[in-house]
Amino acid sequence: MRKLEIRNLTQTFAQKDTQLQVLDNLNFSVDAGQFVALLGPSGCGKSTLFNIISGLLTPDTGEIYLNGEHISGNTGDFAYMQQKDLLLPWRTVLKNVLIGPEIHDEPLGTAKTEAQQRLTQLGLGGFENSYPMQLSGGMRQRVALARTLLFRKEILLLDEPFGALDAMTRTVMQSILLDIWYEDKQTVLLITHDIEEALLLADEIYLLTARPATLKAEIPVALPRPRDITDTALIHLKKELLALLQVEMSTAFD
């Protein structure tokens, strides 16, 4: 298991005749096996951060380290689930989930069994031979999560994985994700706009400022699981996070 370190990340994009700074000297670390949620105003640069960590984007300045080793580009150390499901429309659900094992030239017999187990776990048993166009948006997101898990990486980057789900399904999926995390001991970085989701799932919440994003606060959630959002301790943490976020939201709309 590897410790992830983000050091002095800065990112600016050219926008017509101006420069749009998205990240500003961003620093934080994530211990192996830790579940960290990232919160921040919409558009502050959270997805850009994931694109840099995963190697899809090269930062202007700054570095990414795993266990003290500098990495850059697509290292293969991360399984990245983006906001859009990005399923291949010409492949069935099962074949979409098997993309990772195919890329890594793994024996597909074992991988197929695991894929079917994951699909059943995610409430998609019986849809293995369906195509993405035959599924609802929430079902497509669950297929994307199963595909991400089949990459079998030590670090998961999850960009709002449950944003398209209704409230009841989201609650079930949060519970399943925790079960998977307990079972597999992976490191998880979760982008979410849902404060309650962050409080229910994470060991630590990193709050980012309005764009350009830097780290505003680290909020530990040192409470036993499963958690209940009506617990007094979580209510106090929610109030604290809301107050901090409201300041950043007002800055974002100035």
Side-chain angles (χ1 to χ4, degrees):
M1 299 291 285
R2 301 179 176 184
K3 179 174 180 176
L4 174 67
E5 296 176 83
I6 310 301
R7 300 184 186 177
N8 306 314
L9 284 191
T10 299
Q11 182 64 52
T12 301
F13 295 112
Q15 193 176 60
K16 295 184 178 179
D17 297 328
T18 64
Q19 296 291 311
L20 180 68
Q21 188 175 8
V22 179
L23 303 178
D24 180 19
N25 196 37
L26 181 61
N27 290 270
F28 65 85
S29 64
V30 181
D31 290 334
Q34 192 175 24
F35 197 129
V36 170
L38 295 171
L39 282 174
S42 180
C44 75
K46 297 183 294 296
S47 294
T48 297
L49 170 63
F50 271 19
N51 286 337
I52 292 172
I53 293 174
S54 64
L56 296 177
L57 184 66
T58 301
D60 295 335
T61 62
E63 299 166 317
I64 311 291
Y65 286 83
L66 280 176
N67 268 8
E69 180 182 351
H70 179 255
I71 61 169
S72 61
N74 189 357
T75 67
D77 286 286
F78 307 97
Y80 182 11
M81 180 177 170
Q82 296 174 291
Q83 291 181 27
K84 295 182 180 180
D85 59 74
L86 301 178
L87 300 180
L88 300 179
W90 59 87
R91 294 180 69 118
T92 64
V93 164
L94 182 60
K95 288 185 177 180
N96 266 287
V97 173
L98 289 172
I99 287 175
E102 287 183 14
I103 290 174
H104 296 110
D105 200 26
E106 298 177 18
L108 291 185
T110 301
K112 183 176 179 180
T113 299
E114 182 181 347
Q116 290 172 325
Q117 291 171 344
R118 288 297 191 194
L119 288 170
T120 298
Q121 184 180 30
L122 293 167
L124 293 168
F127 289 92
E128 293 86 352
N129 296 316
S130 299
Y131 287 88
M133 65 175 295
Q134 298 172 304
L135 306 179
S136 69
M139 293 170 74
R140 290 168 62 103
Q141 283 297 96
R142 283 181 273 163
V143 175
L145 178 57
R147 178 185 59 193
T148 302
L149 294 171
L150 259 290
F151 274 87
R152 302 192 195 90
K153 299 300 180 182
E154 293 181 1
I155 301 176
L156 300 181
L157 306 176
L158 306 179
D159 191 349
E160 295 194 77
F162 308 137
L165 305 181
D166 62 85
M168 291 185 66
T169 305
R170 186 183 306 123
T171 299
V172 173
M173 295 304 299
Q174 289 167 352
S175 178
I176 291 172
L177 178 59
L178 277 180
D179 288 343
I180 292 169
W181 177 65
Y182 280 129
E183 175 187 341
D184 297 343
K185 308 300 182 184
Q186 291 162 301
T187 304
V188 177
L189 277 75
L190 169 74
I191 290 175
T192 179
H193 286 99
D194 187 332
I195 293 176
E196 291 187 0
E197 181 171 76
L199 288 169
L200 289 171
L201 296 179
D203 298 313
E204 191 112 16
I205 298 172
Y206 291 168
L207 181 64
L208 303 183
T209 65
R211 186 178 65 238
T214 192
L215 186 62
K216 180 182 181 72
E218 298 180 33
I219 311 295
V221 191
L223 298 169
R225 298 180 178 90
R227 298 168 183 161
D228 188 331
I229 201 62
T230 63
D231 286 350
T232 301
L234 280 185
I235 291 173
H236 287 314
L237 283 173
K238 182 178 179 180
K239 288 180 179 179
E240 180 183 350
L241 283 165
L242 278 171
L244 291 169
L245 271 173
Q246 284 170 355
V247 172
E248 294 309 314
M249 289 296 293
S250 63
T251 301
F253 286 97
D254 282 345

